[in-house]
Amino acid sequence: IESIRNQSYRKLEIILIDDGSTDDSGKICDEYLQKDDRIKVVHQENQGVSVARNQGIAMCNGTYVSFIDGDDYVGKDYIKILYEKIMSQKYDVAISNAIIVQNNEEKQFNDLKQEIELTNQEVIKKLLSGRDFQTVCWGKMYKTEIVKKIKFNTEMKIAEDLDFLLKVFENCDKIILIPNYSYYYRIRNNSAVRTMSTKTFEEFKYCEGLIEQYKNTELEKYAIKHYVNVNMSYAFHYDLTDEEIARIKCNISKYKAFYSLFSDASRNEKIKYKLLRHCYKLAKKVL
């Protein structure tokens, strides 16, 4: 909250959603309500992040809107940079990038060097490729009139950010991607062991639906790339049972000609894909 209050761009409406917190978060929000007349506070029963974000979207009055997650923070010029860029050519969305903060170490998500102006088709390709910016709603500034029409799907428990972004970008004409690294995304190590769940299989099903949705279009191969990369991400970052490993291998083996579709597939992506298909344990050990 302090990082938002201290923005160099001052003309802000700051909406804090207390989504059924069980600690002192609600009390802290109310204390800030007394400190800063730009702040509005909503207390509601816990209904999940999508309901909370939709509540904020319904309340916001500004021409543009941005999302900041509760455990992240932003540099003092974060809003100013996005606002000035989105206003320069009346873009529909301005996309920033992030610093990943984990174990008190900071690392840039990527190394974008220059601005890139994108059409909606171009930005969807980049979104599904997962390289030049994060597949999340934060780190971006949107034209409010677009997100008020879209909103988040409250029925989804996973991949709701991707679903939201795809629908937003489909309704855009011009998007700007900028090398601004002033959003700090904090990763908390709450558990030493991460396992798959029913939500994982919901994500697989959603990705398979995207492949079907984009079938016989130029976006089909990008939907395939996203699906394969999601499977590989689970394989390399989660502790899996033999049955789960077999499921993932089966998923990606459907697309064994996958990397021949992409001239931009990185060397590491190709190595991961081949190792995982042939030997899960070796892949975990090597990578």
Side-chain angles (χ1 to χ4, degrees):
I1 296 173
E2 285 294 340
S3 75
I4 300 168
R5 288 183 70 213
N6 293 328
Q7 288 296 294
S8 56
Y9 183 85
R10 303 295 299 167
K11 194 177 177 182
L12 299 176
E13 176 185 49
I14 304 169
I15 302 172
L16 307 178
I17 310 294
D18 168 26
D19 186 44
S21 62
T22 56
D23 54 15
D24 287 333
S25 297
K27 179 182 175 183
I28 292 169
C29 288
D30 288 338
E31 288 171 354
Y32 274 103
L33 182 64
Q34 303 305 314
K35 292 180 185 179
D36 195 324
D37 60 10
R38 299 174 299 171
I39 289 178
K40 297 177 180 178
V41 175
V42 175
H43 300 285
Q44 61 186 37
E45 290 184 10
N46 178 254
Q47 298 174 74
V49 64
S50 292
V51 172
R53 288 169 176 164
N54 284 345
Q55 177 66 46
I57 290 170
M59 291 175 61
C60 70
N61 297 298
T63 307
Y64 299 98
V65 62
S66 190
F67 304 97
I68 300 174
D69 279 1
D71 49 1
D72 299 339
Y73 56 98
V74 290
K76 67 182 181 65
D77 293 325
Y78 174 72
I79 294 294
K80 178 183 177 183
I81 292 168
L82 282 173
Y83 179 71
E84 288 180 349
K85 187 51 60 179
I86 206 168
M87 286 294 291
S88 66
Q89 297 290 331
K90 299 295 181 184
Y91 292 106
D92 297 311
V93 181
I95 303 173
S96 178
N97 250 299
I99 301 287
I100 298 169
V101 182
Q102 186 173 21
N103 299 326
N104 296 318
E105 294 182 0
E106 297 182 359
K107 181 182 178 182
Q108 284 188 187
F109 173 76
N110 57 20
D111 191 27
L112 189 69
K113 299 292 188 186
Q114 60 186 18
E115 295 177 3
I116 307 173
E117 187 173 303
L118 301 161
T119 64
N120 60 359
Q121 288 289 102
E122 290 167 343
V123 78
I124 289 172
K125 289 175 184 177
K126 286 188 176 292
L127 174 67
L128 294 173
S129 296
R131 276 199 190 165
D132 291 326
F133 60 91
Q134 296 81 10
T135 313
V136 287
C137 68
W138 50 255
K140 300 160 184 70
M141 183 175 283
Y142 310 83
K143 192 178 282 185
T144 303
E145 66 182 60
I146 293 176
V147 298
K148 279 186 180 288
K149 289 187 292 186
I150 302 300
K151 297 188 179 178
F152 289 84
N153 185 337
T154 57
E155 299 300 314
M156 296 180 70
K157 303 304 180 188
I158 195 167
E160 68 278 359
D161 279 30
L162 175 62
D163 181 71
F164 172 78
L165 289 174
L166 285 170
K167 289 173 181 173
V168 167
F169 291 147
E170 286 167 0
N171 284 271
C172 291
D173 293 319
K174 286 200 308 182
I175 302 99
I176 187 71
L177 173 59
I178 59 175
N180 171 31
Y181 292 87
S182 55
Y183 187 104
Y184 292 82
Y185 167 57
R186 200 195 313 263
I187 297 178
R188 300 193 180 196
N189 298 323
N190 292 330
S191 173
V193 177
R194 294 191 289 176
T195 58
M196 294 173 71
S197 66
T198 53
K199 290 206 301 185
T200 305
F201 301 110
E202 288 176 21
E203 184 168 15
F204 290 162
K205 186 175 180 181
Y206 176 77
C207 293
E208 289 162 0
L210 285 181
I211 295 171
E212 186 62 30
Q213 177 184 334
Y214 293 130
K215 193 171 183 178
N216 299 323
T217 73
E218 62 177 310
L219 291 176
E220 180 181 13
K221 65 180 182 179
Y222 293 92
I224 291 171
K225 183 170 189 177
H226 178 74
Y227 179 61
V228 172
N229 284 341
V230 165
N231 276 273
M232 288 201 295
S233 178
Y234 278 108
F236 287 102
H237 297 105
Y238 285 65
D239 288 304
L240 307 179
T241 65
D242 289 343
E243 183 179 351
E244 289 165 345
I245 294 164
R247 169 75 179 266
I248 284 179
K249 284 187 176 183
C250 178
N251 287 348
I252 68 171
S253 290
K254 297 176 196 172
Y255 304 103
K256 52 186 158 183
F258 162 71
Y259 281 104
S260 66
L261 297 173
F262 293 93
S263 59
D264 66 338
S266 71
R267 177 172 167 270
N268 280 349
E269 283 178 322
K270 292 175 182 176
I271 291 171
K272 282 184 180 182
Y273 179 76
K274 289 178 180 177
L275 279 175
L276 185 58
R277 280 185 57 218
H278 296 292
C279 183
Y280 170 78
K281 289 182 180 178
L282 175 62
K284 293 283 281 188
K285 184 176 180 181
V286 171
L287 299 167

